[in-house]
Amino acid sequence: MANLVYKRVSTDQQSTDRQNLVLAEAGIEDPVVFEEQAGTSSRLHPLQRPKFGELLTYARPGDTVHISEMFRLVRGTGHILDVLDVLHRDRLALRIHDGAFSAMDLTARHPRTGELLSTVKFMVQTLAAGELQRDLQRELTYDGLRAAEAKGNKGRRRPAVTAAKAIAVRAAYLGGQSIAALARDHRVSRGAIRTAVADLMPEHCACR
């Protein structure tokens, strides 16, 4: 039985470093890796993505599909249920190694009907929206910290918002807290907050 690892990033500015770390810590034995080309659209249905298609073609009954976080594979509950149906059809297990879904057996089926257990379906539909958003926030925070560290390595002045504070600052900003409020709470300038969340700001996204 093979261990099939699937990896994907949303843009060609991102890397698979975080995924590599999570998967390495999982200690997957003899992994066969399928990695989408950088920038493969998140909007594309997982079953239409080239490398995931290759993975399904390569897979044999009893194999296990490994991903670091759920949002690497899907971005919506409908997609999750579609993928689970295909994995069940092909008799493949799914293992998610980080986030709320890591504690769940998402391939559990009713022993008589073979249908996805209602409890699993309920948990997927309940957890998916919040969990996928949290996963995305973690990715943005991780990538932002990597970018900040890269700038620091070039000899630039150390930012007023430390790396330890940056995670909380970026999460709070994504949660709707204003730059002014964050500056007050962390006792730094608004400019320092803007620097910490620059890649998350609307004007940054508009010009990409």
Side-chain angles (χ1 to χ4, degrees):
M1 294 183 289
N3 289 308
L4 314 179
V5 171
Y6 178 75
K7 296 191 286 186
R8 184 188 65 82
V9 292
S10 302
T11 73
D12 54 11
Q13 281 77 45
Q14 296 171 329
S15 78
T16 56
D17 288 354
R18 174 176 164 75
Q19 295 172 73
N20 294 339
L21 177 63
V22 171
L23 294 166
E25 289 176 347
I28 300 168
E29 186 176 350
D30 298 324
V32 181
V33 178
F34 297 83
E35 182 175 339
E36 298 286 0
Q37 183 175 349
T40 300
S41 175
S42 301
R43 298 178 183 178
L44 192 63
H45 195 292
L47 300 177
Q48 298 175 333
R49 294 185 191 137
K51 287 298 178 180
F52 191 64
E54 287 185 22
L55 181 152
L56 293 176
T57 300
Y58 179 92
R60 296 293 179 267
D63 290 351
T64 300
V65 178
H66 298 265
I67 54 176
S68 57
E69 300 113 326
M70 177 65 87
F71 88 110
R72 300 296 178 184
L73 181 57
V74 299
R75 286 290 173 92
T77 55
H79 288 183
I80 294 175
L81 297 177
D82 288 345
V83 169
L84 292 181
D85 282 342
V86 169
L87 295 180
H88 172 66
R89 180 199 70 193
D90 295 346
R91 290 183 285 166
L92 304 174
L94 174 64
R95 185 74 171 88
I96 301 165
H97 292 278
D98 195 22
F101 289 107
S102 62
M104 297 176 61
D105 178 5
L106 295 176
T107 53
R109 298 276 169 162
H110 193 283
R112 290 195 303 276
T113 66
E115 294 181 355
L116 189 66
L117 291 180
S118 57
T119 51
V120 173
K121 187 177 292 187
F122 174 77
M123 290 298 289
V124 166
Q125 293 171 332
T126 302
L127 289 173
E131 181 65 14
L132 293 173
Q133 182 61 30
R134 283 190 293 273
D135 283 344
L136 181 57
Q137 289 179 5
R138 282 198 295 269
E139 179 187 41
L140 290 171
T141 298
Y142 182 81
D143 287 341
L145 290 175
R146 286 181 64 252
E149 289 171 0
K151 290 180 180 178
N153 290 339
K154 293 179 180 178
R156 296 194 179 187
R157 184 168 59 88
R158 187 176 180 179
V161 177
T162 64
K165 287 184 178 180
I167 294 176
V169 166
R170 290 166 66 83
Y173 179 78
L174 285 168
Q177 195 164 352
S178 70
I179 287 176
L182 287 168
R184 273 196 314 274
D185 292 347
H186 293 275
R187 297 182 180 180
V188 297
S189 69
R190 295 186 186 186
I193 297 295
R194 288 193 186 94
T195 298
V197 302
D199 60 310
L200 308 180
M201 296 176 73
E203 56 266 29
H204 176 86
C205 296
C207 65
R208 294 178 68 174

